[in-house]
Amino acid sequence: MRILMLGWEFPPHISGGLGTACHGIVSGLGKIPDAKVIFVVPKVFGDEKAGNAVFAGANKYMERHSTIRNRRVRVVDAQSSDKLIYIETASMLHPYMQAEQIEKILIRKHIDPDTVYFEEDGRMMATQGGKNREVKLSFQDLQDSDGPQEKFEFTGKYTSNLYTETGMFARVSEALSADYDFDVIHAHDWLTYEAGIAIKKASGKPLVIHVHATEYDRSGGTVNPRVYNIEKHGMEEADGIITVSNLTRDICVDKYGADASKITTVYNAVDFKPGKHEPRKKDGEKIVTFLGRITFQKGPEYFLAAAYKVLEREKNVRFVMAGNGDMYHSMIKTAARLGISDRFHFTDFLNRDEVRQLFSISDVFVMPSVSEPFGIVPLEALRSGVPVIISNQSGVSEVLRHALKVDYWDVDSMADAIYALVKYPALNKFFVAHGRQEVDQMKWDRCAEDIYDVYKTVVSS
């Protein structure tokens, strides 16, 4: 079976767990004899690897001024392996347009610019003759326009231009897909749902969407309607839906009205090579670590509040907050306000080798997430010999038995759990030994087999 897989990131160029999960899934599928993956991303860097797969750096061969005038993008001399074809959708694609240029195009199309407005889903609309209709600008319109233009380049990152990139990704992916034979489409998270839907409509092939997180997880309840609508549309159009936990499954059903019969929960796994756990600390100091995006979803303020309570009882502990996000600077200010800056350290973003080093000196890992669809990092910590404290509001709590679990908002219980693991070595070793045994059974191969079963179901339907 040939799988056209759509993703936004892939190791080593990742911003979070999505890229890690994609790598694990692709590696697992590579061990299924009949599975072949064509992996499409906005931007390929050339150093991506997945098992024995050979990646095609299509960016090196793409025609620099490719267009979709004929709804196709030609990939030149892109090498592929028996298991995986890795494609960058486009390098330089279409021009940014200044407002004056867009007005000229609209007038040339006999559309009054003053009647134009935008729907929440990003569609350009115009009111004419008392009726509202969608306005679509073709690439020919853009190319024929006069005035200064700058070429648009995919970054493959989470930038302020993200909606433009996801929309262009959908259009280019649809065109590119015409050059490949495939049996099923697999789209990871909302960033690629539009692309998956477009390819499904063009090819007639079934679509599977993989929900790694929802807007409710990311926003804390104040959802972005544009993202929500994309997610909802993806769930409606999908022939199969994969969720990373039952927690996420329930959100899809309750908040998006998704058809429960289409949903299959497939838990993530872990493939993390730890460094040697050799604490390099003086005077028996203990290190307690938070690792993740410093955003509302991850609950960094609760970690900081728990740290304050622990330090009231035990001074020989240092706390590390590794990562970055929109709450980064406010957490630094909060630590200063609480008077614990001398025992609380901020590292900013860490690469994989730096994460291994941090785990090698950590005594406890805490994931106090407010809403965590799954949570791979606790599994990586356990593989590194670090006991974990996780919130009950995480998907990984459904499968991990040997972890201390607390409600994210209960900072007293969180502080008690931290204190117990740093003060009682026997308890620490117990959770490490049994937790690592559990984690060693969580293989991406099994995850891939479950996903492959979903493919077979939608293809045969």
Side-chain angles (χ1 to χ4, degrees), residues 98-148:
Q98 295 184 3
E100 294 82 0
Q101 295 170 260
I102 294 177
E103 286 191 4
K104 289 181 181 179
I105 294 173
L106 293 172
I107 293 171
R108 193 158 55 235
K109 296 171 77 72
H110 306 290
I111 298 172
D112 183 355
D114 291 335
T115 69
V116 173
Y117 65 96
F118 290 88
E119 294 282 14
E120 288 184 344
D121 59 7
R123 290 181 299 155
M124 181 188 293
M125 307 292 290
T127 303
Q128 291 183 308
K131 295 182 178 180
N132 299 328
R133 68 180 184 89
E134 184 176 359
V135 178
K136 294 184 178 181
L137 301 184
S138 69
F139 283 92
Q140 190 65 52
D141 291 327
L142 303 180
Q143 291 169 341
D144 290 345
S145 64
D146 55 356

Side-chain angles (χ1 to χ4, degrees), residues 345-388:
H345 306 271
F346 296 86
T347 70
D348 210 321
F349 178 80
L350 299 181
N351 62 35
R352 300 304 280 173
D353 288 336
E354 291 168 335
V355 169
R356 291 186 181 91
Q357 184 179 0
L358 177 58
F359 280 150
S360 76
I361 61 172
S362 295
D363 298 282
V364 179
F365 171 78
V366 183
M367 187 184 76
S369 297
V370 173
S371 181
E372 186 72 46
F374 186 76
I376 292 178
V377 181
L379 307 183
E380 297 176 342
L382 283 168
R383 286 289 298 272
S384 303
V386 184
V388 301

Side-chain angles (χ1 to χ4, degrees), residues 26-205:
V26 169
S27 298
L29 288 170
K31 297 180 181 179
I32 298 176
D34 295 332
K36 181 171 183 177
V37 177
I38 304 165
F39 201 106
V40 184
V41 288
K43 186 177 182 65
V44 67
F45 296 85
D47 54 354
E48 298 84 356
K49 296 180 180 179
N52 295 322
V54 176
F55 289 78
N59 56 312
K60 297 179 182 179
Y61 307 104
M62 186 74 70
E63 294 176 341
R64 287 186 61 82
H65 301 288
S66 298
T67 71
I68 315 182
R69 187 177 307 173
N70 298 317
R71 308 301 292 167
R72 293 172 68 82
V73 174
R74 185 162 64 94
V75 181
V76 182
D77 194 27
Q79 300 176 357
S80 65
S81 72
D82 290 337
K83 287 295 181 185
L84 181 70
I85 304 170
Y86 191 82
I87 304 163
E88 179 195 13
T89 53
S91 180
M92 307 292 279
L93 188 63
H94 86 110
Y96 279 119
M97 304 299 296
Q98 295 184 3
E100 294 82 0
Q101 295 170 260
I102 294 177
E103 286 191 4
K104 289 181 181 179
I105 294 173
L106 293 172
I107 293 171
R108 193 158 55 235
K109 296 171 77 72
H110 306 290
I111 298 172
D112 183 355
D114 291 335
T115 69
V116 173
Y117 65 96
F118 290 88
E119 294 282 14
E120 288 184 344
D121 59 7
R123 290 181 299 155
M124 181 188 293
M125 307 292 290
T127 303
Q128 291 183 308
K131 295 182 178 180
N132 299 328
R133 68 180 184 89
E134 184 176 359
V135 178
K136 294 184 178 181
L137 301 184
S138 69
F139 283 92
Q140 190 65 52
D141 291 327
L142 303 180
Q143 291 169 341
D144 290 345
S145 64
D146 55 356
Q149 301 176 6
E150 295 180 6
K151 292 295 183 180
F152 173 85
E153 182 177 5
F154 277 115
T155 66
K157 297 180 180 180
Y158 303 88
T159 67
S160 58
N161 196 39
L162 189 57
Y163 295 126
T164 300
E165 292 210 32
T166 57
M168 294 310 306
F169 181 68
R171 292 172 172 79
V172 179
S173 297
E174 178 192 348
L176 184 149
S177 68
D179 289 334
Y180 294 91
D181 294 324
F182 53 92
D183 303 292
V184 64
I185 309 152
H186 186 163
H188 290 279
D189 252 1
W190 74 270
L191 299 152
T192 68
Y193 291 172
E194 292 174 293
I197 293 168
I199 296 170
K200 175 184 176 178
K201 291 181 177 178
S203 67
K205 299 298 173 65

Side-chain angles (χ1 to χ4, degrees), residues 7 47 189 211 392 395 442:
D47 54 354
D189 252 1
V211 185
N392 288 313
M442 299 179 187

Side-chain angles (χ1 to χ4, degrees), residues 13-26:
H13 306 278
I14 61 174
S15 297
L18 178 59
T20 301
C22 286
H23 179 272
I25 291 166
V26 169

Side-chain angles (χ1 to χ4, degrees), residues 425-442:
L427 185 67
N428 190 300
K429 291 179 180 178
F430 173 85
F431 279 101
V432 168
H434 290 82
R436 188 161 11 188
Q437 288 178 2
E438 281 190 89
V439 170
D440 287 343
Q441 302 303 312
M442 299 179 187

Side-chain angles (χ1 to χ4, degrees), residues 411-427:
V411 294
D412 289 320
S413 294
M414 194 183 304
D416 288 342
I418 295 171
Y419 182 82
L421 288 173
V422 299
K423 289 297 288 184
Y424 303 107
L427 185 67

